[in-house]
Every structure is written in structure tokens, then in C-alpha cells.
Amino acid sequence: MSEKSTDMDASTRKKLALREKRKQQMKSKGAGSTRLQKITGGANSLMDADSVLDKPKPVVSAEPTEAESMDFMKQLAQKQQTNANPEGMPDLMEMMKQMGMSGGEDGGMDQMMNMMKNFAPGAEGMAGQQTPAVTPEIQLYHTSKLKQFQYRLLFIKWFFILAPYLYLLTHPENSVLGAFFNDRKNFLMIFSTIEVLSVSLSFAFQNKLERVTKYKQTPGGTIISYLKFVPNGILPFDLHKVVTTALTWFAVVNGALIDFSFVIIVLVLLSYYHI
Amino acid sequence: MSDFEEEFTAEPNLKELINSDTYKWIFVGGKGGVGKTTTSSSIAIQLALKNPHKNYLLISTDPAHNLSDAFGEKFGKDAKKVTGLNNLSCMEIDPSAAMKDINDMAVSKQGEEGSTGGISDLLNGGNGGMLGELTGSIPGIDEALSFMEVMKHIKKQGEGSEFDTIIFDTAPTGHTLRFLQLPTTLSKLLDTFGGLTKSLGPMMNSFGALGKGMDLNAMNKQMEELKTNVEIIRDQFTNPDLTTFVCVCISEFLSLYETERLIQELISYDMDVSNIVINQLLYADGDDECKRCQARWKMQKKYLEEINDLYELYHLVKMPLCAGEVRGLDNLKKFSSFLYDEYDPKTNNDLVFSLKHDF
């Protein structure tokens, strides 16, 4: 009995020693690439000899330390103050990247996104084969072009269409507008037509821009990007789609309400000065 | 040989794996066409023969199954005992059949609640359902279903599983690596989802009202359970006493290169690899008159030297290329015996021509 247990101990010891030695052999610096080079070199092959073992491992801490949290809050406050983003909202994902915290370039969220890409249609699933994402410069270009168009459209709509129309509408004796446009009963129909046209123009430009930049700006920003992590099939409806549609409609209604506010302001001003 | 040298010399057989009491999961994988199914079947047979008091399950996770062909009897999506070996069962994971089962369950549930008609009927009903057809073609569905099978066994472990060890006859390298990444990916996803449900809880609840009969608490509970099981799997897969990966290769450049890459990937996942089976060796030294065999054996020897050099700390099991196909239980038994007692081309050469063809 004791002889058997001694034998067992010896074999277990040998097994553990071999395991440890293998680990050391593989995990020593540059060993992975050296081994691959040896294989490819021996066969005059042009195959890649970069090893996954030689890539720096992400340092992921589950809980940020107090100092890290403080540092993060400071940077968040600074970012809000500097107002680098036109909307005044800090891009948290970008900040995490800059800070190199979990969720930054070294791993966490990025690594997870990469892994998720491996399961996407057409993905090979091997490391280092991910398709490059849209660069921040292109995203910035896309956003600024879109905003520029929207502001120009708003300016033309307000000061070249709505304001003159409202002026003429409040002066029915004018001969510029025909009977149809001069009829105040038709105001809502004309206003909604202008809204529909401007929204259509805006979406048409957005689609054209998306085709050029290959970047699709999702309404709702980070909320939508977080919702993408909810795996399909868990909820009985497509939450991501529902929220995207709701936010798109919200933006359209929001735009119409702003225009309506402008109409009211113009009408108040006209009634004060001219009527 | 000194004691020190002996301590760092791995035996050229799978005795340690076959005699071990601890392994719960054994993965067998490698490049396509190197003999993964033959090797996994042989390992399963040796385990079953050498440990008659234990029960083993051999699962094929390769979308192109050939376990049935290897054993010469039909296996399906449910575990079925191998005829002639009472403690070994086999199963082939079939994504389309599994999806049809899930679909049928959904349809019967819908039937109980009354059909809603329209698009949902079109998707779920009919011949297997469009949903089943669509999900069957999703990339990675084989890995996901294999993972579901692992989950089932993990759940059963607590209640006393039917099987002591499960052997996986895996798909070629890329698929297998994706499968082995699943626990880590899922774990991270569930962590993120947990954080999201906490921060977006009120919004989720208000959306919950839109969903028909959706119970968010029950969903959270299920997610927690899933997370616990995924973590158990991850822990077990990275425990070298419970899980090991047997690499299968042939003595050629591409196979050697892919084996090395596979081993490095597995080590990066903290998985244990200690056994390598080298198949299809010609041993055309002696009086073999086949010039082609001799030329090929010369090439194999070149890579064998390299393998011996690179993997001196691994159990390198060298298996011969037989004249006939290694199919059927009797042939597999004969062939598999050389995983336990290493093959000697001088004394065991009769194996090459002794395989039966009437399986």
C-alpha cells in the first residue's frame, strides 16, 4: 500500500515537474516566436512567426483603486470644463482608452469587442485578423460634416423660408404669396411639408456621408453602444432596434418642436412690431 | 539515466493520461486530416478498457462528423453506448437538429398559448421553421451548441453525472480555439451585462412592459445562474488536473506549424497540453521497397527530429500509417493499444497489415 502511494507520489511529482518546466519553456521571453521561427526557418517558409505568447498581456483589475477612481473623476471634470467635444459631453470610451484603464486599449472592453468580432460572420477567429475600425479622425470628420449641413439647413429654413413666410402670412394684403399660401388655415400643412422636406434632406445627406466615410453614427451614442452588449435572444424583442428607432423619432420630433418654437417667437416679434 | 534526467523525460505514450483519475475533460484537436477522430476514438477506447469501472462519453464537435464512420455504427445527438463497450458512449452534436428541437419547443409552447399568426408563425412554424434554418447557418453555432452540451454536463456534475470523463473530438484548430474562448468571452459579456442591468435597471423595467409577459427578475436570475456555470467551466478548463488537450499532428511542415501555434494559443488560455500524437508515420527503413514511401519517410524523419527537439518535455506518441483504414471497434482497439504501449516498428510491424476490412 505504502509502496503504491510512493509510486503515485513519484509519478505525480514527475508530472508536476514536467508541467512546470513546459510552462517555463513556453513562457520565457520571446520563446514563442523563437520556436515558430525555428519551424518556419527549417522549412524555408514565409509563414508568420509572431507568437501570441509574446504579445503583452492586458493587465485587468476588476476594481479600480481609489487613486485610479480619483484620477478618472479629475480627468472627467477637466474634460467637461475644456469642452473639447462640441456637445460638452465627454466621450467616456475615448477617455478610458487614453487612461489605459480596464476597458482601454490594453484589454477589457476593446479586447472583448475584438473577441466578439471573431464570432461575427466571415470572421476567422484567429488572433490578429480583425478588420480595422473607423479611425477617430474619420468619425470626427463625419460628425462635423453632418453638423455643418444640419446647421446650414436650419439657417436657410429659419431665415430664408419660415421667417419670410411668417412675415408675409401676417401681412395678408401682400401680393407675393398666392391665395393658397396666404390662407392661414393652410399653415400647419405648409409647416409640416417644410419639416418633412428638411428631415428628408438631412437623412439623405447623412446616408450619402455614411457611404463615403463608411461610418454610421448611432443616435443616442454610448447608450446604444452599451445596448449592443445585450446578446440577441435574451429579450423577446430587439431592444437595440427599439431604442434606436425611438431615439431617431425623438430627434425628428425634437427638431420639429424647435422649429415650432422659432415660429412662435417670430410670430410674437411680428405681432409686437408690425401688427 | 540520472534521476534528474528521468524526472524531465516524458514517456512516449499516453499512460499518464489513461491511468489518471482526475481528468473530467479531454480535448483532442489539430489540423484537418491528421487523424483527430481516430485518435480521440482510440483514447476513449483505451480509457474505457483500462478503467472498466468508469463511464466515458466521446463527443464530436466537428460540424463534419465522422465518429459514426470510425466506429461503424450510427450515433446521433443523444449519447449512445458503443456496441461491445459498455462504459463508452458517443454522440455527434448536430446544430440543425438541436435548433429544430429548440424551435419545436418554442412552437409547442406557442401552441399552448394560442397561435399569434403572422410573421411569428412563418418564422417558427412549417417545416422546421425559418428561424431554425436561419440559426443553423449562424457562424459559431457549432461551438455554441458544443458549449451548451458542456453546460448540461456541468449542471449534472452537481447531481452526480452519468459520465466520469468527457472526450471531445474537436473540429479543426480555428473552430476549437473559438470554442475554448467562449467561456472567457461569455464571462466578460455577462459581467458587462450585469453592470448594464444595474445602471439601466429602471429603463429596462419600463421597456419590460413592452415585452409580452417578460419577467426581468427571472431573467436576471437565469443570467446569474449562467454566469456561475460559465465560471465553473472556465475554472475547470484551466485546471490542469481536470482538463487537458491532446494535440494530433502528422510529421509535415504545415501540421507542425499549426500544432505549435495551437499549443501557444492554448497556453495563452492557461490550458494544459502535455500529449502530442504524431500519426501516419511510414517507418519505411528496413526492407521496404516502395521508393515513394522511403522518400516520404525521409521527409517525416526530418520533421520528427524537429518535433523531438521542440517537444522533449511532452509525451510524444508516434503512431504508424496502416495499410488499411482504422475503422470499426476491433481495428480501433488494435490501433489504440499503441497509445498505451508505444509502437515499435521492428516488433509490431504486423499491425500495419493486420487491420480487418469487414467492419
Side-chain angles (χ1 to χ4, degrees), chain B residues 46-117:
Chain B
Q46 279 303 308
L47 283 165
L49 289 173
K50 296 284 189 290
N51 308 289
H53 56 288
K54 285 185 165 187
N55 275 318
Y56 296 95
L57 173 65
L58 174 58
I59 303 179
S60 166
T61 62
D62 191 342
H65 299 294
N66 33 27
L67 261 191
S68 298
D69 279 331
F71 281 91
E73 62 178 297
K74 185 69 192 155
F75 300 114
K77 61 184 174 58
D78 300 312
K80 185 192 161 198
K81 280 196 172 154
V82 173
T83 315
L85 259 181
N86 272 335
N87 59 339
L88 175 62
S89 304
C90 292
M91 65 184 282
E92 293 178 340
I93 288 174
D94 180 2
S96 53
M99 287 318 298
K100 194 175 178 302
D101 280 357
I102 294 168
N103 194 42
D104 289 348
M105 274 169 63
V107 170
S108 65
K109 201 180 168 193
Q110 200 183 40
E112 284 164 23
E113 290 164 2
S115 171
T116 50

Side-chain angles (χ1 to χ4, degrees), chain A residues 13-15 17-19 21-22 25-27 32 35-36 38-40 42-43 45 47-53 57 111-112 115-116 118-119 121 123-127 226-227 229-230 234-237 239 242-243, chain B residues 6-10 16 20 23 139 177-178 181-182 185 188-189 192-193 196 200 204 207 211 214 219 223 240-241 253-254 256-257 260-261 263-265 267-268 270 272-274 302-303 306 309-311 313-314:
Chain A
R13 211 179 55 234
K14 187 178 170 184
K15 187 174 153 180
L18 276 169
R19 191 182 289 162
K21 191 98 173 134
R22 278 195 299 268
Q25 189 190 52
M26 281 287 189
K27 293 202 168 173
R35 289 169 69 88
L36 284 167
K38 200 173 174 186
I39 295 170
T40 51
S45 166
M47 300 282 260
D48 184 18
D50 292 338
S51 168
V52 279
L53 296 175
K57 265 206 158 184
Q111 195 192 37
M112 198 171 74
M115 278 197 289
M116 285 166 77
N118 287 343
F119 292 93
E124 279 298 305
M126 294 290 284
Y226 279 132
L227 285 179
F229 292 122
V230 181
I234 284 180
L235 298 172
F237 56 89
L239 179 65
V242 168
V243 176
Chain B
E6 201 177 335
E7 191 165 84
F8 291 119
T9 309
E16 188 198 288
S20 171
Y23 289 123
L177 289 175
R178 278 205 299 231
Q181 264 186 326
L182 261 173
T185 311
K188 283 188 175 177
L189 260 177
T192 313
F193 185 75
L196 265 176
L200 299 176
M204 296 280 279
F207 272 111
M214 193 175 80
M219 196 181 82
M223 294 293 285
D241 291 325
F253 166 68
L254 278 177
L256 171 60
Y257 176 81
E260 178 60 24
R261 278 222 171 271
I263 291 174
Q264 293 191 9
E265 284 276 352
I267 287 170
S268 74
D270 288 324
D272 174 62
V273 190
S274 51
K302 179 196 155 193
Y303 288 107
E306 212 165 322
D309 186 28
L310 281 166
Y311 305 107
L313 300 170
Y314 294 73

Side-chain angles (χ1 to χ4, degrees), chain A residues 170-235:
Chain A
T170 48
H171 297 77
E173 67 282 4
N174 77 81
S175 58
V176 180
L177 293 179
F180 178 79
F181 288 100
N182 260 332
D183 189 349
R184 289 180 184 179
K185 282 178 194 161
N186 293 334
F187 170 74
L188 266 180
M189 195 199 293
I190 293 161
F191 178 75
S192 356
T193 310
I194 293 168
E195 281 307 309
V196 169
L197 280 174
S198 70
V199 168
S200 306
L201 273 173
S202 185
F203 276 106
F205 181 80
Q206 194 177 335
N207 280 338
K208 197 179 152 193
L209 196 63
E210 275 167 12
R211 276 202 297 276
V212 176
T213 59
K214 311 273 184 259
Y215 169 64
K216 191 171 172 65
Q217 198 178 24
T218 48
T222 42
I223 294 176
I224 291 295
S225 60
Y226 279 132
L227 285 179
K228 279 182 183 168
F229 292 122
V230 181
N232 285 336
I234 284 180
L235 298 172

